[in-house]
Amino acid sequence: MGNDTVNAKDERPVVLVVEDEALTIMDLSDVLDAAGYEALQSASAERALGLLTARTDIVALITDVELSGKTDGFDLARAAAQMRPDLPIVVVSGRSKPDPDRMPDHARFVARPCRGDDILEVLGTLMTP
């Protein structure tokens, strides 16, 4: 990888990316990486909730709606918002429509097709106080 400066990783804000599509998660991770974030990847909502419980350094959540496992991205967003009410959450989907009843109040929906930069932009607006 060439950008391994000592301790640089530790100081970057961690964004949890939940997506079971390998290419999509790699792509988004690259965009986050380039923007100065550390992407923490999870393919399932169950694992993501475990990570949210275990790691206080996660500053935001980006999740796809369609995930493998029993829990979808809407359920994950709601559970995450209950655990961490101030956590910025971006829900992304190419198939589902935004469902206001299932979205936490402060979460934002991004429809696919979109670029990683689009998601990053929405994330930025959520993270600016």
Side-chain angles (χ1 to χ4, degrees):
M1 286 274 174
N3 56 0
D4 268 359
T5 12
V6 181
N7 283 339
K9 261 193 164 0
D10 303 345
E11 286 146 35
R12 296 191 309 166
V14 178
V15 175
L16 179 55
V17 183
V18 189
E19 164 68 72
D20 59 1
E21 191 62 53
L23 283 173
T24 309
I25 200 167
M26 280 164 45
D27 201 42
L28 188 50
S29 296
D30 287 347
V31 170
L32 287 166
D33 195 53
Y37 295 101
E38 180 186 336
L40 181 62
Q41 300 181 355
S42 173
S44 76
E46 290 78 9
R47 176 158 184 269
L49 288 171
L51 289 166
L52 277 171
T53 307
R55 295 187 57 161
T56 52
D57 61 341
I58 294 171
V59 299
L61 167 68
I62 300 172
T63 181
D64 191 40
V65 171
E66 295 83 20
L67 298 168
S68 52
K70 289 194 280 288
T71 311
D72 73 7
F74 287 128
D75 291 335
L76 170 59
R78 283 222 318 276
Q82 282 172 344
M83 287 164 62
R84 306 260 301 268
D86 54 347
L87 187 74
I89 299 171
V90 180
V91 178
V92 186
S93 178
R95 290 189 281 281
S96 301
K97 292 278 171 279
D99 184 342
D101 297 336
R102 299 188 65 206
M103 286 276 286
D105 291 340
H106 63 285
R108 293 277 303 278
F109 186 90
V110 179
R112 285 207 170 99
C114 60
R115 301 185 344 271
D117 291 339
D118 300 329
I119 296 171
L120 196 62
E121 200 173 300
V122 170
L123 186 64
T125 61
L126 284 172
M127 291 178 79
T128 315

